[in-house]
Amino acid sequence: MKKIVFSGIQPSGTIHLGNYLGALRNWTQMQDDYECIFSVVDLHSITVYQDPKALRRKIIDTAKIILALGIDPKKSTLFVQSDVPAHTQLYWILNTITKVPELELMTQYKDKASKNRSTMAGLLNYPVLMAADVLLYDTDIVPVGEDQRQHLEITRELARRFNDLYGKTFKTPEPLITKFGSKIMALDNPLQKMSKSAPSPYNYIALTDSPEVITDKIKKSVTDSETVIKYDPARKPGVSNLLTILSLVTNRDLKAVEESYFGENYGKLKIDTAQAVISFLSDFQKKFYSLSDDKVLSILKSGSKKINKIAQEKINEVYRKVGLK
Ligand code: AQP
């Protein structure tokens, strides 16, 4: 039997190169060897306020991006989280065994909470909903970027805690975090990760950005006051981030890329990186713009129909174990 893979992405903005290089790249590569389940996790996205009119569009576009990147609905299941009520049902059960202090320790919570005057409970409980997403499907492997490592640790802890209290019910999933590319940095601040909900679009390269926009953003990206092109994330985070992106999108060894820029200037590195990103995204963008909303919605509908059956069985088992049924 194939191992089960689950991962999700929030429709909280425009999907960017960091999301792709850190997570979605692995999704597309795992489809043939694993039973893959992918979700547009819309309930997660509203832990930070979303304009309701824009949200529906973002949900469809996020699914469209996933499909255009090569997720094949014949091989993988793709669905929208809010179409499967078992996610929120399991979320509640897991909340009853989650300690508030362990949620308060989460880096992502601390980062996002520090930007808002009052912090909503949904933001604090985000990792519990993520645990529910993953545990519902007896997931073996969760391909994610580095920023989700802590959340996966809580997921594993909650699986163990529930099993100890109520008897073996959940698998303890393993994260899959690739060594290289799991944390792409923001173009306008290479000390922070690239983020789709960043206030400035100069933070990220959206997968749907036009060639002109990509060139402009990379040209304006923050580097340093030196002139040497060298991979040294601690001392030269901006240049190292560009080298990382260039190496990943051209599928060339980082050392070879770095050496090829010996004696070159930052301007050349930026132009070459922009051109490489543009050509890397060109096929994807053609597919993205050729997919109709109707086609995407019909794929999502069959995905949720299929996955609801599995999720419902699991939540019934959980309810029985807890004594609710
Ligand atoms: N900068 C990044 N580099 C590598 N991987 C990244 N991921 C996110 N940012 C980077 C990975 O992308 C997947 C989907 O992310 P998400 O939608 O679950 O939300 P996130 O992790 O909170 O990503 P963003 O882009 O920063 O969204 P917002 O701004 O809404 O919070 C995950 O596997 C994530 O690790």
Side-chain angles (χ1 to χ4, degrees):
M1 224 172 79
K2 283 181 177 177
K3 285 194 170 180
I4 298 170
V5 166
F6 176 92
S7 197
I9 186 158
Q10 300 184 72
S12 46
T14 327
I15 309 305
H16 55 71
L17 202 58
N19 297 135
Y20 175 73
L21 296 174
L24 294 159
R25 187 168 55 122
N26 282 332
W27 296 14
T28 53
Q29 287 166 2
M30 295 177 98
Q31 292 188 96
D32 290 321
D33 301 324
Y34 299 91
E35 180 71 45
C36 289
I37 306 168
F38 300 121
S39 183
V40 177
V41 288
D42 54 347
L43 295 170
H44 280 282
S45 71
I46 57 169
T47 52
V48 172
Y49 177 78
Q50 304 289 329
D51 172 8
K53 283 202 199 97
L55 182 58
R56 188 66 198 151
R57 182 70 254 155
K58 284 192 209 165
I59 293 169
I60 298 168
D61 279 349
T62 301
K64 209 179 259 190
I65 285 175
I66 294 169
L67 293 166
L69 284 171
I71 293 302
D72 179 350
K74 289 195 199 89
K75 295 180 186 166
S76 305
T77 307
L78 178 65
F79 71 101
V80 176
Q81 184 187 32
S82 64
D83 286 339
V84 182
H87 285 251
T88 39
Q89 291 174 303
L90 181 56
Y91 160 72
W92 182 253
I93 302 287
L94 295 178
N95 254 324
T96 65
I97 58 162
T98 308
K99 298 168 190 164
V100 172
E102 63 195 345
L103 294 175
E104 284 171 334
L105 281 177
M106 295 294 105
T107 311
Q108 198 172 76
Y109 165 73
K110 287 194 278 188
D111 277 358
K112 291 192 175 173
S114 69
K115 290 174 193 148
N116 291 295
R117 234 179 285 150
S118 52
T119 306
M120 302 302 165
L123 197 60
L124 181 69
N125 292 321
Y126 180 113
V128 189
L129 181 58
M130 177 164 156
D133 301 338
V134 171
L135 298 181
L136 205 46
Y137 301 105
D138 291 331
T139 303
D140 296 288
I141 306 167
V142 188
V144 282
E146 184 58 45
D147 64 328
Q148 297 297 332
R149 188 187 289 278
Q150 262 192 332
H151 294 168
L152 243 298
E153 266 314 309
I154 285 231
T155 302
R156 289 164 56 81
E157 174 55 30
L158 290 179
R160 286 189 289 259
R161 205 174 287 166
F162 187 96
N163 290 345
D164 286 349
L165 257 177
Y166 296 110
K168 177 93 180 98
T169 309
F170 296 121
K171 274 191 190 166
T172 316
E174 297 289 339
L176 177 83
I177 301 173
T178 34
K179 273 199 191 124
F180 190 49
S182 63
K183 194 172 184 186
I184 300 296
M185 308 312 280
L187 295 181
D188 61 352
N189 179 0
L191 296 175
Q192 280 180 4
K193 77 167 192 117
M194 191 174 276
S195 196
K196 59 178 121 64
S197 60
S200 164
Y202 283 87
N203 170 292
Y204 54 80
I205 298 168
L207 298 183
T208 49
D209 275 345
S210 69
E212 296 72 29
V213 170
I214 293 172
T215 307
D216 182 44
K217 285 181 176 179
I218 294 184
K219 269 188 179 171
K220 291 190 177 127
S221 67
V222 172
T223 48
D224 53 62
S225 55
E226 298 176 11
T227 51
V228 183
I229 297 177
K230 198 172 174 322
Y231 183 78
D232 183 351
R235 278 195 55 245
K236 301 173 76 67
V239 169
S240 303
N241 196 36
L242 291 179
L243 286 170
T244 302
I245 292 172
L246 183 56
S247 145
L248 286 168
V249 300
T250 55
N251 210 8
R252 284 165 66 209
D253 177 61
L254 176 70
K255 199 81 206 139
V257 172
E258 185 191 32
E259 280 168 11
S260 70
Y261 283 91
F262 181 75
E264 295 288 359
N265 60 38
Y266 288 2
K268 167 125 177 80
L269 173 64
K270 286 181 173 180
I271 295 285
D272 290 355
T273 306
Q275 275 167 0
V277 170
I278 292 164
S279 86
F280 177 75
L281 291 177
S282 137
D283 278 353
F284 154 78
Q285 291 192 350
K286 275 185 215 133
K287 279 192 208 134
F288 175 81
Y289 290 110
S290 71
L291 269 170
S292 72
D293 286 2
D294 284 349
K295 173 86 184 154
V296 174
L297 288 169
S298 116
I299 290 169
L300 291 173
K301 196 170 166 198
S302 37
S304 65
K305 195 170 164 206
K306 177 180 164 197
I307 218 69
N308 250 312
K309 282 198 198 116
I310 300 168
Q312 200 50 53
E313 270 177 34
K314 193 72 189 179
I315 198 69
N316 286 343
E317 181 193 348
V318 170
Y319 277 13
R320 277 196 302 275
K321 292 268 172 69
V322 174
L324 297 171
K325 281 219 163 133

